[in-house]
Amino acid sequence: MRKGQLTSSLLLGKSSIGVWALKEGWSDGDAITEISALIRSQNNIAMSIASELVSAAASTEHARPFISPLVGNGIGSGSPLEALLESDIGDVRSGAASAMAKLGLANKELSNDEGEVMGLLQVAVELLNENDDEVMGDKDANKKAKQFLEKNKKKNSSTTTTSTTVERGIELLSYLASKTQVKEELTHGFRSSSILKAPKATSSQTALERLLEVSCAS
């Protein structure tokens, strides 16, 4: 897990060294196997580390090829990243969603797939409707993982871009808004219909209404 923390910090602070660490710093040069093991562990802290790592790697062009197998064939393919989308912790879900969107849009085949784009839009809007203070499942385990994430955010505040769940939702929308299809959907009142395992993923608000609410509250 420490290896994942270190690599994530390097990717955010000094991307070239982070890419080297992702390529050379894992067993047999295979980061995918170890990241997948963190995800499958069902340990909230391990999954939190995996989520932050893939999110940081997806933000770095030269790191994307090393984690792209985690996306599989996109939403609905049963990929490792989808396991993170099922987490009880908002930050874990949002990190995975951020990575999935960036990797999906960087993949020409997936980015031109109408169903994939709509799936990513659904995820982005659901993140907007998340309540970062709500948790599900094992409350003690979730609390420890959230405390772990907050501790790391404070430690790396000068170099990281770790965001809240809602901010990540806005970030994803900014990526997706380059698609004409997405612009049309938002204009016609697109709203979420639960995909993520979230307490309040479904909202009566449209995406634009939620964005306006968030902007007025900030």
Side-chain angles (χ1 to χ4, degrees), residues 64-83:
R64 289 172 189 155
F66 299 111
I67 61 165
S68 58
L70 293 170
V71 167
N73 293 317
I75 293 175
S77 66
S79 67
L81 279 186
E82 286 196 87

Side-chain angles (χ1 to χ4, degrees), residues 37 43 69 97 100 112 122 174 200:
N43 177 293
M100 185 168 279
N112 290 324
Q122 191 75 260
S174 71
K200 293 186 178 179

Side-chain angles (χ1 to χ4, degrees), residues 64-126:
R64 289 172 189 155
F66 299 111
I67 61 165
S68 58
L70 293 170
V71 167
N73 293 317
I75 293 175
S77 66
S79 67
L81 279 186
E82 286 196 87
L84 293 178
L85 290 177
E86 291 295 315
S87 170
D88 296 330
I89 301 172
D91 275 350
V92 173
R93 290 193 298 273
S94 67
S98 174
M100 185 168 279
K102 291 170 185 174
L103 291 170
L105 292 174
N107 182 311
K108 290 183 179 180
E109 184 177 340
L110 291 179
S111 66
N112 290 324
D113 183 317
E114 183 176 320
E116 181 69 15
V117 171
M118 290 305 299
L120 292 173
L121 176 60
Q122 191 75 260
V123 169
V125 175
E126 287 174 18

Side-chain angles (χ1 to χ4, degrees), residues 45-56:
I45 291 178
M47 294 175 76
S48 297
I49 292 171
S51 176
E52 293 302 316
L53 174 55
V54 296
S55 178

Side-chain angles (χ1 to χ4, degrees), residues 14-199:
K14 188 68 174 177
S15 62
S16 59
I17 298 177
V19 171
W20 176 87
L22 191 61
K23 181 181 179 182
E24 305 291 347
W26 302 75
S27 298
D28 300 319
D30 184 8
I32 294 298
T33 299
E34 293 195 46
I35 295 172
S36 296
L38 290 176
I39 295 171
R40 292 194 305 269
S41 70
Q42 296 301 309
N43 177 293
N44 283 336
I45 291 178
M47 294 175 76
S48 297
I49 292 171
S51 176
E52 293 302 316
L53 174 55
V54 296
S55 178
S59 300
T60 305
E61 181 180 358
H62 296 298
R64 289 172 189 155
F66 299 111
I67 61 165
S68 58
L70 293 170
V71 167
N73 293 317
I75 293 175
S77 66
S79 67
L81 279 186
E82 286 196 87
L84 293 178
L85 290 177
E86 291 295 315
S87 170
D88 296 330
I89 301 172
D91 275 350
V92 173
R93 290 193 298 273
S94 67
S98 174
M100 185 168 279
K102 291 170 185 174
L103 291 170
L105 292 174
N107 182 311
K108 290 183 179 180
E109 184 177 340
L110 291 179
S111 66
N112 290 324
D113 183 317
E114 183 176 320
E116 181 69 15
V117 171
M118 290 305 299
L120 292 173
L121 176 60
Q122 191 75 260
V123 169
V125 175
E126 287 174 18
L127 291 176
L128 286 179
N129 291 308
E130 290 252 5
N131 183 336
D132 289 312
D133 294 325
E134 291 192 48
V135 296
M136 301 168 59
D138 187 337
K139 292 184 178 180
D140 288 337
N142 290 340
K143 183 178 179 181
K144 288 179 181 178
K146 286 176 74 67
Q147 288 173 340
F148 171 82
L149 282 169
E150 290 302 320
K151 182 179 179 181
N152 278 339
K153 288 177 187 178
K154 291 175 182 177
K155 270 186 183 180
N156 300 313
S157 60
S158 62
T159 58
T160 69
T161 55
T162 304
S163 307
T164 68
T165 302
V166 172
E167 287 170 341
R168 274 196 172 131
I170 295 172
E171 178 190 26
L172 298 194
L173 280 180
S174 71
Y175 277 91
L176 293 168
S178 62
K179 299 284 185 182
T180 300
Q181 175 192 4
V182 170
K183 293 174 184 174
E184 291 176 350
E185 290 289 343
L186 292 174
T187 301
H188 289 90
F190 186 90
R191 55 169 51 86
S192 71
S193 59
S194 182
I195 286 179
L196 301 185
K197 185 178 179 181

